[in-house]
Amino acid sequence: MTPLQSAPQWFATAPAIVLALTGLALLLIDTIDPDSTNNGLLAGTATLGALAAGGIAGWFLIGGTGMESTGGAISLYGDALVVDGMSLFFTLIFTSVAAMVSVASYDYLADQQYQGEFYALVLFAATGMTLMGMSNSLATVFVSLELASLPSYALVAFLKKDRGSIEAGLKYFLIGALSSAVFAFGISLVFAVTGSLVLPEIAATLAEGTELVGVLGLGVLMIAGGFAFKTASVPFHFWAPEAYEGAPAPVSAFLSSASKAAGFAVAFRVFTVAFPLETVTEIGGGSVDWSLLFAVLAVVTMTLGNFAAATQNNVKRMLAYSSIGHAGYALIGLAAITTDGGAANGDVLGASMAHLFVYGFMNTGAFLFIAMVEKWGLGRTFEDYNGIASKAPIAASAMTVFMFSLAGLPPFGGFFSKYALFESAIGSGFWWLAAVGAVNSALSLFYYSRVVKAMWIEEPSKPLEIGSQPVGLYVAIVFAAVGTVLLLPGFQPVIETAQTVAAALF
Amino acid sequence: MIIEALIAVTFLAALVTFVLPDRYAGKAAFALSLAPVVGSLYMWQQYDASGNALLGGNIAFETDIAWLQLGQYDIHWMVGVDGISMPLVVLTTVLTTLAIVSAWTPISERQSQFFGLMLLMEANLLGVFTALDFFVWFIFWEAVLLPMYFLIGVWGGPRRKYAAIKFFVYTNIASLVMFIGFISLVFGLGDSISSFRLPEIAQALQAGQLGSFAGLSAGALASVAFVAMFFGFAVKVPVAPLHTWLPDAHVEAPTPVSVMLAGVLLKMGTYALLRFNFTMLPETARAFALPIALLAVASVIYGALLALAQQDLKRIVAYSSVSSMGYVILGLIAYTTYGVGGATFQMVAHGLISGLMFMAVGVIYNTTHTRMVSDMSGIADRMPVTAGIFVAGAFGYMGLPLMAGFAAEFFIFKGAFESTVMEAMPLFTGAAMFGIVIVAGYLLFAMQRTLFGPFRFDGDYDITEAPFHDVAPLAVLLLLTIVLGVSPDIFFTMIQDAVNPILELGGAF
C-alpha cells in the first residue's frame, strides 16, 4: 500500500491543504448568514476537517510516503518543503489535538459571538504547524511559523471582554513579535555566512568550512532563541504561564500541545539537517557545538518548570509550568545527539517525538478538563477542585488518568514515553540527563497528585453545583483519556514509527 | 488465554460497576466477581505446571507475545502461573469476592466507585501474580497502588488523607528504588539477554552472565541490586523498621480495604522477594542471610510487642500482620524446602486468617461503632456467632493445629531449623518462635476483655447479632482456614514442586 505512486507530488501536502480548505470553508459557512451562528455545524466541520487531514497523514505514514522504503523524502517547490515520515508524524499530533480542541470548543463557545472565526483560526494555525513540520528552508520555516503564530495571538485574546485574555494575548503577541525578529535576524546571519536558506544546502556549504565563525554562532544562537520561544523553553518561557492562564482553556490546550510540538518539529529538522553536529563541531574548534547548549537548556527548563509548577495554587498555571517542564524532557531529544551516535541519535530523537505524541493526548485532555471546570464556573485554584469527583466521576477519572500519565506512572502512556526517552538518553551516554529527568519526573508526582487529591479526597468547601453536562467537552476528554490509556499497550507502533522516521534525518 | 480472559473479565466488571447506579453496585460487584472466582478455580483444576516458572519449569497457561521494543530489549506480554503463583491467584479472587460482600454494610456513599475500584484492584493483583515479564509485572504492580490510594483516601476514617498520602509516598518511593535496582541488574547483563522476560533474566543470572556496569563489578552490582530490590519489597511486606505506613493505612482504611491490604497486597512484597531476590540472586541472598534473619526476627518480635500495646482492635490485627509477615521472611531466608515452601504457604494462610480477623473486627465495629478494647466487654453475649468466629480466627492466628496458620508456621520453623545458610539459624528460629507466645498473649488478652466477661458497652447502639451477609464471608474464610489446615497438601505439594528448583540452585539441598 503505497499511496501517491501515480499522483502528482504536491499531493503529498494534502494534510495541510485539507486543513487550509476547511478553514476557508468555515469562513464561507459563516459568511452565508453572518448574524446567526450554527455552532454544531461549525464545530462539526472543523473536527471533520482535522480528522480528515489526520487520516490522510496516517494513511501516508502507514503507506510509507516520503520514507526510505518508497524512495525517500518527497521534496517540493525547490526544496522549500519536504514531506517525509517526520513531517507526517508531527501532522498526526497537530491534527489529533486540533480535532479534540474543535470538539471541545463546541460547548466552550456556545455563548460567544465569533464562532466561525474561532474554528477557522484554529485550523489556520494547524495549517501553519503542518507546514512548519514540512519546512526545509529557513524562509518557509519563518513564514509557516508566522502562519501558526498569528492566529494563535488572536485565539489567546479571543475573549475580548475578559481583561485576562486581552492581557495574555498582548503579552504573547509582543514577545512573539520580538522573538520573530530575533529569529529573522538569526536567519539573515546564517544566510550571510552560507548564502543559502535551504537546509541541506546550508549544511553542504558549512561542510566546506567558513571564516565567519562568530557570525554563524550568533545566527545559530538566535535561531535557537526563536525555537525556545515557540516551545516555551527557558529562557524564553515566561510568556507561557501568562498566555496559557489568560487564554480560553481550549486554546491553552491547543498552544501547549500542538504549537509546542510544532516548535520541536522545526527545531529537530533545522538543527539536524542544516547544522549537523559532525559538521558544526569541525568549524572554529567546536564553538558552534549546539548539543551542549540544548543539554543545558533541557536541564534548566525541566527543573525550573517543575519547581515553579510545584509552587502554584492555580491549576491552570500549574499545568502551564508543567508544560514548560515537559518541554525540558522533549529537549533531551536534541541534547543527547552525539557526533558518533549513529542509530542512537535516531533513537533518542524518536523517543522525544513519541513523548510529544503521548503528550498531545494527555496534556490536551488536562487543559480540556480545565475548560470544563471553567464552563461549570467552579474557579481555578486547587481548593475549587475539591470534591469534583463526587459530582462528575467520569470526567474526574479522565483527569486522574492525565495527571498520573503526565507524572509518568506505569499504567498510562506517559510511563513508556518517559521510560523510552530516558533509556535512549542513557543509550547515547547522557545518563546524567536521564537522571535529572527521572528525579524531576518523580518530583512532579507531588503537584500532579494534588489535583487528584483535591478532586477525589477533599471535601468541597462550598456546595458544589455542576449545572450542565457539556457533550462536546465530555467527548473530547474521554477520547483523550482513552487515547492516553491505549497508548500504553499501543506504544510499539508509535515509538517504532518515531524512531524510524527520526533515523532518516541523520 | 485463560489468564488474559480472567484479567479482562475483572477489568470489565470494574468498568460496569463503576458506571452502575449506587444502589445496585454492591450486589452487581459481588455477582460479577464470581466470574474471576470460577475462572481461577477452573485454572486450578486444569493446572498442569511443574517446576519453577523462572528456572526452566513448565509454565501453566503461558502466553508469550512480543509486545514492543525499547532500545535493545524487547518487552513481551508474558503471563503464566507455577506452583508459587497459582495459590495466590486463587487467594486473590476468593478474598476479593468476600471483601466485596463484607463491604455491603459499612460502605454507604459513592458505592459504585468503591466497588469499581475494588474490582480494578483485583484485576491488577491478578496481573501482578501472573506476569512473567518485568515491565508487564511492574505496570500491574504500580497499578495496584492507584485504586488503593483512592480506597483509603475517600472511604477511610478521620485521618484518611494523611494515611493515603503516606501509603502512596512510601510505596511509590520503594517502587522507584526497586525499579532502579532491577534495571541496573538488566543493564549489567548486557547483551546476554534480549528481553525483560523474568525466566530469561533469571537463567542468564544463574549462568553467571552478570558483568560490570556503571563502574561496579559484577559482585558489587549484584549486591547493590539485591539491596535496592529488598528495600523496595520490604516496604511493601512490611519489614520492621519500614512498616510505619501500615498501621496508619490499616486503621484508616474501611474494613474491606484492610482485608485486601493485609490479605493480598502485603503478599505482593513477599511474592516479589521470592521471585526476584531469592530466586535470581541466591548467592547474594545467602551472603546477606544474617541481616535478613535479623530483620525477620525483629519484625516478628517487635510487631507482636506493638500489637500487645494497642487498645484498638484493628491496630492489634494490623501490627500482628507485621509479625506474621516476619515469619515469611524467616522462611524465605532459610533456603530449605520447608522454609521457602512454608513461607509461600504462610502467604495464603495469613491472607485467609488476617482477612478473617479484619472482617470480624469490622463486623463488631459496624454494630458498636467503636474498636476500642476499653469501650466494651462481654460482646459475645449479644453477638455469639461473630464472637465465635472471632475466637476461632484468633486460634488460627495463634497456630492451633488443624488450622492453616499452624501448618504454615510448622513448615517455616521446621525449615528454619534445618537451614544451613548460617550457623546461628536455630538461634534466630528459636527467637522467632517466641513470637507465638506473644501472639497468643495479645489475642487472648483482647478477646478476654472485649468478648467475654459481663456485658458492658459504652455507647448508644443496640448490640445485636450481625446480619447474615456480614457473617457469611467470615464463615467461608473460617471454613477455608480449616480446610487448608486439615489438608495443607491442597497447595503445599504444588508449592514444593515450584520451590525445589530454587533450592537446587541455592546449593542448599
Side-chain angles (χ1 to χ4, degrees), chain A residues 93-105:
Chain A
I93 302 180
F94 309 143
T95 50
S96 47
V97 173
M100 281 186 274
V101 168
S102 302
V103 175
S105 302

Side-chain angles (χ1 to χ4, degrees), chain A residues 389-390 393-394 397 400 404 409-412 415-416 419-420 423 426 442 445 449 452-453 455-459 488-492 495, chain B residues 18-19 67-73 75 110 113 135 138-139 142-143 146 149-150 153-154 160-161 164-165 168 172 176 179 183 187 196:
Chain A
S390 59
I394 292 174
S397 304
T400 308
F404 285 141
L409 282 196
F412 309 113
F415 169 62
F416 268 156
Y419 177 80
E423 202 249 17
I426 294 176
L445 185 59
S449 62
V452 176
K453 180 163 163 272
M455 290 191 306
W456 290 88
I457 295 178
E458 301 288 345
E459 302 289 335
L488 185 87
F491 193 62
Q492 170 70 26
I495 184 82
Chain B
F18 195 82
V19 296
W67 174 13
L68 74 155
Q69 194 174 11
L70 289 180
Q72 68 173 105
Y73 303 110
I75 294 173
R110 292 161 80 177
Q113 293 172 24
F135 262 86
F138 187 70
I139 287 165
E142 287 286 280
L146 302 179
Y149 169 69
F150 294 117
V154 177
R160 61 181 191 278
K161 291 172 202 167
I165 298 282
F168 199 53
N172 253 317
L176 192 67
F179 186 82
I183 289 290
F187 285 157
F196 287 104

Side-chain angles (χ1 to χ4, degrees), chain B residues 35-54:
Chain B
V37 172
V38 172
S40 67
L41 292 177
Y42 175 75
M43 266 172 75
W44 188 17
Q45 195 249 327
Q46 296 284 314
Y47 174 83
D48 63 346
S50 59
N52 187 294
L54 266 54

Side-chain angles (χ1 to χ4, degrees), chain A residues 53-65:
Chain A
I56 295 170
W59 177 46
F60 284 179
L61 207 51
I62 294 167
T65 305

